[in-house]
């Protein structure tokens, strides 16, 4: 039967003899007068927390302080100037349409491909406008003969991507 | 550890403290109570609400891990 360890070191020596040789000193030092001053430090912290206003009260104090600062002419002038600049920037800046900048970023090839893939969604006048907008007016088409109309359409189609047309048809 | 102003010990003890820091929480508690405070397993059982056998096993595993830590550091 194994002998009962008489001490922690004896027990440790049975499990890990090398570890039992390590000095068993307390490596940590307590700051000077730490435990003597600890109760007072805790009580001070509790009192400070209790005296500290709540979140809502602090917010109200902040707002009250800000409003009080507006009574000073210089501060009020600064805030008014900033507000005027913001308002001016909002109203003076030209208002751009919802898609004015967006379409300009789309490459012409991609736009053309989209139109060709969705020809049914477009009115004939819109398709004709893909050509030279100054050269052809939809209203003028009504006065054209069938041959002239075909020639006009050929002019437009020549400008389009032939491969795309073949994919559709 | 060495940079801590409240840590004052030799290299071996510093290594031991480092090894203890790698232990799981339960093993670390058991090892500290047994090794530094020389608390009996029965007292530990009352405090930690764990059986004496489990505490002995936990201490045994902790010591093995620390020993392996020392051997690994020595390699």
């Amino acid at each position: 039967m194994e002998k009962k360890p008489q001490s922690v070191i004896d027990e440790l020596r049975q499990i890990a003899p090398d570890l039992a040789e390590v000095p068993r000193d307390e490596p940590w030092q307590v700051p000077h007068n730490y435990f003597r001053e600890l109760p007072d430090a805790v009580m001070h912290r509790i009192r400070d927390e209790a005296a500290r206003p709540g979140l809502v009260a602090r917010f109200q104090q902040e707002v009250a302080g800000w409003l009080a600062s507006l009574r000073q002419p210089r501060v009020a002038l600064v805030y008014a100037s900033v507000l005027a600049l913001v308002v001016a920037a909002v109203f003076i800046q030209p208002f751009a349409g919802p898609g004015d900048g967006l379409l300009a970023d789309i490459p012409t090839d991609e736009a053309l491909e989209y139109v060709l893939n969705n020809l049914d969604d477009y009115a004939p006048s819109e398709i004709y406008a893909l050509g030279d907008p100054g050269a052809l007016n939809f209203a003028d088409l009504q006065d054209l003969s069938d041959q002239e109309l075909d020639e006009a359409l050929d002019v437009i189609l020549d400008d389009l991507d032939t491969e795309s047309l073949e994919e559709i048809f | 550890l060495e940079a801590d102003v409240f840590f004052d010990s030799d290299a071996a003890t510093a290594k031991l403290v480092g090894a203890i820091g790698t232990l799981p929480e339960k093993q670390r508690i058991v090892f500290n109570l047994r090794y530094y405070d020389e608390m009996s397993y029965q007292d530990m059982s009352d405090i930690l609400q764990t059986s004496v056998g489990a505490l002995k096993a936990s201490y045994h595993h902790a010591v093995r891990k620390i020993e392996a830590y020392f051997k690994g550091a020595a390699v």
Side-chain angles (χ1 to χ4, degrees):
Chain A
M1 188 176 174
E2 193 172 355
K3 185 179 179 182
K4 187 178 180 180
Q6 294 182 353
S7 68
V8 172
I9 295 300
D10 291 336
E11 179 189 36
L12 192 61
R13 197 167 284 126
Q14 287 186 359
I15 303 173
D18 294 335
L19 194 59
E21 304 306 320
V22 175
R24 201 158 54 116
D25 302 326
E26 179 58 53
W28 299 100
Q29 293 178 353
V30 179
H32 185 63
N33 286 332
Y34 176 79
F35 290 105
R36 185 176 299 177
E37 297 172 357
L38 183 61
D40 291 337
V42 170
M43 291 307 298
H44 280 122
R45 180 178 286 186
I46 292 174
R47 269 186 242 124
D48 291 343
E49 286 290 330
R52 191 179 175 193
L55 187 63
V56 175
R58 272 184 282 155
F59 177 74
Q60 291 176 344
Q61 287 178 358
E62 289 285 336
V63 173
W66 179 74
L67 290 175
S69 69
L70 289 179
R71 294 178 186 172
Q72 300 177 11
R74 287 187 179 179
V75 176
L77 186 61
V78 168
Y79 280 117
S81 302
V82 171
L83 184 62
L85 284 173
V86 170
V87 171
V90 170
F91 286 101
I92 291 178
Q93 184 179 3
F95 179 74
D100 284 358
L102 296 177
L103 294 178
D105 295 336
I106 300 176
T108 306
D109 294 341
E110 291 183 15
L112 180 60
E113 184 178 356
Y114 174 78
V115 171
L116 291 174
N117 289 334
N118 298 277
L119 277 174
D120 294 337
D121 296 337
Y122 291 89
S125 59
E126 292 176 318
I127 298 176
Y128 298 145
L130 289 176
D132 184 1
L136 197 63
N137 189 348
F138 181 68
D140 297 334
L141 296 176
Q142 297 176 349
D143 299 330
L144 297 177
S145 64
D146 289 342
Q147 183 180 359
E148 289 173 332
L149 191 60
D150 286 338
E151 290 175 356
L153 192 58
D154 288 339
V155 170
I156 295 173
L157 291 177
D158 283 342
D159 293 335
L160 299 180
D161 187 356
T162 307
E163 293 179 2
S164 300
L165 290 174
E166 289 177 350
E167 289 176 0
I168 296 173
F169 297 107
Chain B
L1 284 175
E2 286 80 356
D4 194 324
V5 294
F6 297 114
F7 187 85
D8 180 22
S9 185
D10 57 4
T13 306
K15 194 180 296 182
L16 175 61
V17 173
I20 295 172
T22 65
L23 296 174
E25 184 181 2
K26 194 64 175 291
Q27 290 181 13
R28 186 169 64 244
I29 293 173
V30 172
F31 183 86
N32 284 331
L33 290 176
R34 183 69 178 164
Y35 182 78
Y36 288 110
D37 298 339
E38 295 192 1
M39 185 178 290
S40 67
Y41 287 111
Q42 186 57 52
D43 290 341
M44 258 193 280
S45 175
D46 296 336
I47 293 172
L48 299 176
Q49 295 296 305
T50 307
S51 67
V52 171
L55 291 172
K56 287 183 178 178
S58 187
Y59 180 72
H60 183 88
H61 287 303
V63 170
R64 289 295 189 197
K65 285 184 181 178
I66 292 174
E67 187 181 29
Y69 182 91
F70 268 75
K71 289 179 179 176
V75 171

